[in-house]
Amino acid sequence: MIDYYLKTALDTGATPQGEGAQGEPQGRSRRGRAIVAVTDSRGDTVVVDSSAPGKQGVNRYVWALRYGGPTRLTFERQPTGEEEENPFRTVLGPRVVPGSYRVALTAGGRTETTKVTVEPDPVLGGDPARFAAQLRAGLEWRNALSALNEMLNRIVSLETQLKNAQQALRENMRGDTTATAPVARQARELGRKLKELKDSLYNSDVQRDAGQDDIHYLNRFQDRLQGLGFGLGFAYAQPPTEVVAERMKELRTRLDAYLARFNELLRTDVAAFNKTAQDHSAPVLVAGAPVEVKAVAVR
């Protein structure tokens, strides 16, 4: 736990007209947040959290003694207000290993740092080598799931951009089939390929915020890779079993194939669509760089 005192409350300025949160008067200042960054003894980033409280007076931030979690799916509805997040769908980063860590807290343009020591559980103990093996496996899983979720976020973004581009063509080039037909044709074909890839990874029919709706559907690739992390996340000084390690190896091979398929779409179909769109004065797609799994930095 990190306790800190703020002379004045942090705020992010006045709430814009029409954008006030539920129960928050418009035109009032919105309460800001402090930023907590934790690094290990080698200076490698463990977690950066921008949700630390920023009220006037004494505040408390609780670090869960974990690395940052994987990239979230931005198109999934997140709990708001007083809603509780489903604990069985809460995806956490791996546990940190016992050792020294540096905590830096930034608020109001000022940064203060302190060192903390994470001790092993006095009852469970734990062999350092087993801690290290569990951490490496957990980070490899986290980085793999981050790449998968990033790919899904990008697919949904491209689908949205395609719909908007087609809508813009219909509204601004009425009757000009010479301009709209080639773009619309490529948009439909690219949209079909993106949907086909997304549907092989993620089931959009599941209402993940609606109780146990997901038990009525067969798991898809994203569910299987995400579910593999629960055992890695809750174990204590336990490297993955041979079964889990083999399963991770299998899923990683499949993930690499999916990423290659998506990156090829960026290189070919998305690039071809953008060329056609430019030739016909239509909106182009912002696709971004190829998606890759980041290497694990544990030394």
Side-chain angles (χ1 to χ4, degrees), residues 6 22 40 52 104 108 127 152 172 181 183 215 250 260 269 271-272 279 292:
L6 296 177
Q22 183 176 5
D40 63 19
D127 175 31
L152 283 166
N172 298 299
V183 180
I215 69 174
E250 173 197 343
D269 294 67
D279 292 343
E292 299 178 344

Side-chain angles (χ1 to χ4, degrees), residues 141-156:
W141 163 82
R142 182 199 66 176
N143 291 0
L145 185 60
S146 288
L148 173 59
N149 288 351
E150 173 65 19
M151 175 170 56
L152 283 166
N153 288 337
R154 298 264 290 278
I155 289 173
V156 172

Side-chain angles (χ1 to χ4, degrees), residues 1 62 89 93 95 127 197 243 251 294:
M1 292 183 292
V62 180
R89 296 202 61 84
R95 296 181 189 273
D127 175 31
L197 176 56
V243 173
L251 293 177
K294 293 183 179 179

Side-chain angles (χ1 to χ4, degrees), residues 73-267:
L73 294 173
T74 55
F75 55 87
E76 279 192 347
R77 178 182 176 277
Q78 302 297 331
T80 57
E82 298 180 355
E83 295 178 344
E84 291 187 6
E85 189 165 10
N86 184 342
F88 295 102
R89 296 202 61 84
T90 302
V91 186
L92 305 172
R95 296 181 189 273
V96 298
V97 301
S100 297
Y101 295 86
R102 177 179 177 270
V103 179
L105 185 139
T106 301
R110 180 176 175 180
T111 300
E112 295 289 341
T113 64
T114 188
K115 288 186 177 180
V116 298
T117 301
V118 177
E119 301 284 355
D121 187 289
V123 176
L124 298 177
D127 175 31
R130 293 174 65 84
F131 270 119
Q134 179 185 342
L135 175 59
R136 172 169 287 278
L139 291 175
E140 288 174 348
W141 163 82
R142 182 199 66 176
N143 291 0
L145 185 60
S146 288
L148 173 59
N149 288 351
E150 173 65 19
M151 175 170 56
L152 283 166
N153 288 337
R154 298 264 290 278
I155 289 173
V156 172
S157 173
L158 287 169
E159 288 179 325
T160 301
Q161 291 180 68
L162 281 171
K163 291 177 183 176
N164 292 339
Q166 293 177 85
Q167 181 66 26
L169 285 174
R170 287 192 293 268
E171 292 178 350
N172 298 299
M173 297 184 178
R174 297 183 185 278
D176 186 359
T177 57
T178 302
T180 60
V183 180
R185 183 170 55 252
Q186 281 193 276
R188 287 193 298 270
E189 180 62 15
L190 177 55
R192 181 188 64 79
K193 292 181 178 181
L194 289 170
K195 184 178 186 303
E196 190 177 84
L197 176 56
K198 183 181 72 174
D199 287 347
S200 66
L201 300 169
Y202 180 87
N203 191 342
S204 301
D205 293 331
V206 177
Q207 300 181 52
R208 288 165 171 79
D209 59 328
Q212 297 179 333
D213 190 48
D214 52 356
I215 69 174
H216 302 295
Y217 296 84
L218 294 175
N219 285 344
R220 296 195 184 171
F221 185 78
Q222 199 272 348
D223 298 301
R224 292 193 285 274
L225 182 57
Q226 178 171 289
L228 192 66
F230 287 106
L232 295 172
F234 288 102
Y236 189 83
Q238 294 181 26
T241 64
E242 290 185 12
V243 173
V244 172
E246 188 61 31
R247 182 62 169 156
M248 182 63 197
K249 182 179 179 181
E250 173 197 343
L251 293 177
R252 177 58 195 273
T253 299
R254 292 184 61 189
L255 173 62
D256 288 342
Y258 283 126
L259 291 174
R261 182 176 164 188
F262 174 74
N263 291 333
E264 182 66 10
L265 277 177
L266 296 184
R267 190 183 69 83

